[in-house]
Amino acid sequence: MSAKHLVKDLNTSTATHINSAFAVRPDLKREVCDAAVTYPQLSNLFTGISKYVCELRVEAEAGVCAEGPVTKRRKLNGTDSRETENGLPNRPNGTKSETMKADWPLVPAIEASFSVPQRKKLLLQVSRNRSEGIRALNPGNRQVEFGLRWKDIARKEHLVCLPVPEKAQATYNFCVFPTFGDGVSIPPDSLLVHEPMVWTVPEVKVKDITEKPNYRRTVIEAAGSVNITVVEPSAEEFESQVQQALRMGEKSYHVKAFRGSKDGFLYFLSTGIVWAFKKPLYFFSFPVIASISYSSVLQRTFNLNITTQTSSPSNPSDTQSQDFEFSMIDQADFAGIDAYIKRHSLQDASMAEARRAKKLNINGTRGEKDTTEGDGERESELEKAAREVEGREGQGAEDDEDEEEDDENFDPGSEGDSEGSGTSDEEDDVHAGGDREEEAGEDEDEEE
């Protein structure tokens, strides 16, 4: 039966509301009408549901819901659906930050290519006002796509500017790590963690300074006005010994590595170690690094292992340890990385017990115990050996006591018997000797 015939079987009020609520979903309208005809006693329920759907559609078209702005339910890199329109977070009362929505007429909008949290070309605004921050605008309608307030950046060192490797033209990536957004720290359960922001700006050569705007310098100066220092790599901290293929002769400050199957770059800065530029990004600041070690050290490559130790702000006593392994690092950079670790007093845990090879004793001699057994098992073996020694000593003492008892029970009269038995043996020997002489005499007679 078609939806039109089903609607005719319903009362006028229910049919009108169902038609209005599910006009754009004829398949769903058909199922609702079928259920309403089958269960006429629930007509009031279907009417109420249809009215509510109509109200939601009207509010959605107006752009305002009963509880605040319409959410997009967008999930970026593990963040939950509390992200609101344009990627900006909701306040506890359900309204979006008015500071990030408001116009910043005095802040210039510069063109930039973003890679995190969205990969697209947008307009960048970096405010010099402490109550504002950094945000990205849509070039067409200049609506806010996403952004971070200055107070969302926990530490001053969490804004870095890094030269992009493997590019024919020199460019720089700005990376902003928000509070608990460094990929290592443990956020409180109730806190919405923002994603890092990464955008690219070109390098302006000296001869083009008067003609082209220096976007890199603009961002650095704007951040400095709110007391945030942009951290950049330097040769004093670390300089790679591997020559760049596209820009020969230029200094490079990165180390190419792999984390699992993803390739990326490590930067050794004055405030910590950065892993970029693909999701997920990591910033290992010195306070969270527990130790650094090397593994799989071969002729051409080696692996770098970073162990972090962090605690939740809600429960500082509950610490969590994580291991991050970065593999296939060129041996040419081993000396520079090792000097960096020693300079900043980062513990070298390469010879830690947990990273030592296990002794399996596969070719051990028969009867030997595995040397990797626990202390309790070794103690039981020692106790067992001690008991065996004590048992042997006890058995020897019992034998000595038996010999002493035999000496005490010795009977002198038994000596005569033994002598008599000895005489009898001598007589047997004499008779045996006589028999042998007689046999020898008979043999001589036969020969004659």
Side-chain angles (χ1 to χ4, degrees):
M1 186 178 294
S2 64
K4 293 182 179 180
H5 292 88
L6 290 173
V7 171
K8 290 181 180 180
D9 295 337
L10 299 174
N11 60 63
T12 305
S13 176
T14 304
T16 302
H17 288 97
I18 291 177
N19 279 328
S20 301
F22 303 101
V24 296
R25 290 291 305 274
D27 56 335
L28 188 57
K29 180 174 69 173
R30 186 183 305 107
E31 295 180 2
V32 173
C33 291
D34 189 10
V37 172
T38 306
Y39 304 98
Q41 66 274 19
L42 300 178
S43 60
N44 292 334
L45 175 62
F46 289 111
T47 301
I49 293 175
S50 300
K51 287 181 179 180
Y52 181 69
V53 173
C54 291
E55 292 174 359
L56 290 179
R57 289 181 59 188
V58 172
E59 292 174 353
E61 292 174 358
V64 179
C65 290
E67 298 179 355
V70 180
T71 59
K72 281 190 176 181
R73 300 294 181 186
R74 179 172 53 200
K75 184 176 182 181
L76 299 175
N77 192 25
T79 57
D80 57 23
S81 59
R82 286 174 288 182
E83 289 278 346
T84 63
E85 187 179 12
N86 298 331
L88 298 176
N90 273 339
R91 286 183 175 179
N93 59 4
T95 61
K96 192 166 57 179
S97 173
E98 297 297 331
T99 303
M100 300 303 290
K101 289 196 307 179
D103 292 334
W104 298 352
L106 301 179
V107 181
I110 61 179
E111 295 180 355
S113 297
F114 284 82
S115 56
V116 178
Q118 299 180 22
R119 183 176 292 275
K120 60 193 308 186
K121 289 186 176 182
L122 299 169
L123 297 178
L124 173 69
Q125 282 189 311
V126 183
S127 175
R128 297 173 181 262
N129 190 336
R130 290 180 179 273
S131 62
E132 297 173 345
I134 306 172
R135 66 182 184 180
L137 306 178
N138 189 301
N141 54 20
R142 297 184 72 87
Q143 294 294 319
V144 180
E145 293 287 333
F146 50 85
L148 288 172
R149 292 169 294 184
W150 289 122
K151 66 178 182 179
D152 293 330
I153 304 175
R155 298 176 181 173
K156 298 178 180 179
E157 67 268 18
H158 281 187
L159 175 55
V160 298
C161 178
L162 307 172
V164 181
E166 301 179 355
K167 297 289 184 181
Q169 182 182 0
T171 56
Y172 292 88
N173 273 357
F174 282 89
C175 303
V176 185
F177 296 90
T179 305
F180 300 108
D182 56 2
V184 181
S185 302
I186 304 175
D189 297 335
S190 59
L191 180 65
L192 173 63
V193 179
H194 301 270
E195 273 201 294
M197 291 176 59
V198 179
W199 69 88
T200 306
V201 295
E203 181 185 32
V204 179
K205 297 181 180 180
V206 177
K207 63 180 181 180
D208 298 331
I209 289 180
T210 57
E211 299 178 2
K212 297 181 179 179
N214 192 337
Y215 294 150
R216 173 169 164 262
R217 181 56 53 190
T218 300
V219 175
I220 293 176
E221 291 177 353
S225 64
V226 293
N227 199 25
I228 291 182
T229 303
V230 178
V231 180
E232 298 183 85
S234 64
E236 290 74 15
E237 291 294 336
F238 174 81
E239 181 181 351
S240 177
Q241 301 301 312
V242 180
Q243 293 293 329
Q244 297 192 62
L246 299 178
R247 300 200 302 271
M248 298 293 292
E250 291 188 14
K251 292 183 178 181
S252 59
Y253 306 99
H254 67 277
V255 170
K256 188 172 183 178
F258 289 83
R259 174 156 171 78
S261 59
K262 291 185 177 181
D263 62 331
F265 305 99
L266 288 169
Y267 290 86
F268 298 87
L269 309 177
S270 60
T271 55
I273 303 173
V274 174
W275 168 255
F277 296 99
K278 297 179 181 179
K279 295 182 181 180
L281 278 70
Y282 296 103
F283 184 87
F284 303 97
S285 58
F286 293 146
V288 303
I289 297 178
S291 63
I292 295 181
S293 61
Y294 309 106
S295 63
S296 302
V297 181
L298 304 177
Q299 183 179 2
R300 297 183 180 273
T301 61
F302 67 95
N303 296 353
L304 185 69
N305 304 278
I306 301 177
T307 302
T308 62
Q309 191 169 9
T310 55
S311 59
S312 175
S314 57
N315 188 8
S317 60
D318 183 16
T319 59
Q320 179 180 347
S321 179
Q322 302 180 73
D323 290 329
F324 300 86
E325 184 178 34
F326 303 97
S327 59
M328 301 297 292
I329 301 175
D330 198 305
Q331 270 286 355
D333 290 326
F334 181 87
I337 295 174
D338 191 58
Y340 175 86
I341 294 173
K342 293 178 180 178
R343 185 184 310 114
H344 293 283
S345 301
L346 302 176
Q347 181 182 358
D348 185 358
S350 300
M351 298 305 294
E353 186 67 27
R355 299 191 181 278
R356 293 183 182 179
K358 295 182 179 180
K359 298 179 181 180
L360 301 177
N361 197 24
I362 296 176
N363 298 325
T365 57
R366 183 177 299 176
E368 289 183 352
K369 283 290 186 180
D370 190 353
T371 57
T372 61
E373 293 179 351
D375 295 338
E377 295 181 0
R378 286 198 296 269
E379 292 176 358
S380 62
E381 291 296 329
L382 293 174
E383 293 175 355
K384 182 179 178 181
R387 286 196 299 271
E388 292 179 356
V389 172
E390 292 176 357
R392 292 174 183 173
E393 293 177 352
Q395 183 65 31
E398 292 178 0
D399 295 341
D400 294 339
E401 292 177 359
D402 293 339
E403 292 178 0
E404 291 178 359
E405 290 179 359
D406 293 339
D407 293 340
E408 293 176 358
N409 297 332
F410 175 71
D411 186 4
S414 62
E415 186 177 357
D417 296 337
S418 61
E419 291 178 355
S421 60
T423 304
S424 175
D425 293 339
E426 292 176 357
E427 291 177 354
D428 293 339
D429 294 339
V430 171
H431 290 305
D435 294 338
R436 287 195 294 272
E437 290 177 358
E438 291 178 359
E439 291 176 357
E442 293 178 356
D443 294 336
E444 292 176 358
D445 294 339
E446 290 178 358
E447 292 177 356
E448 291 176 355

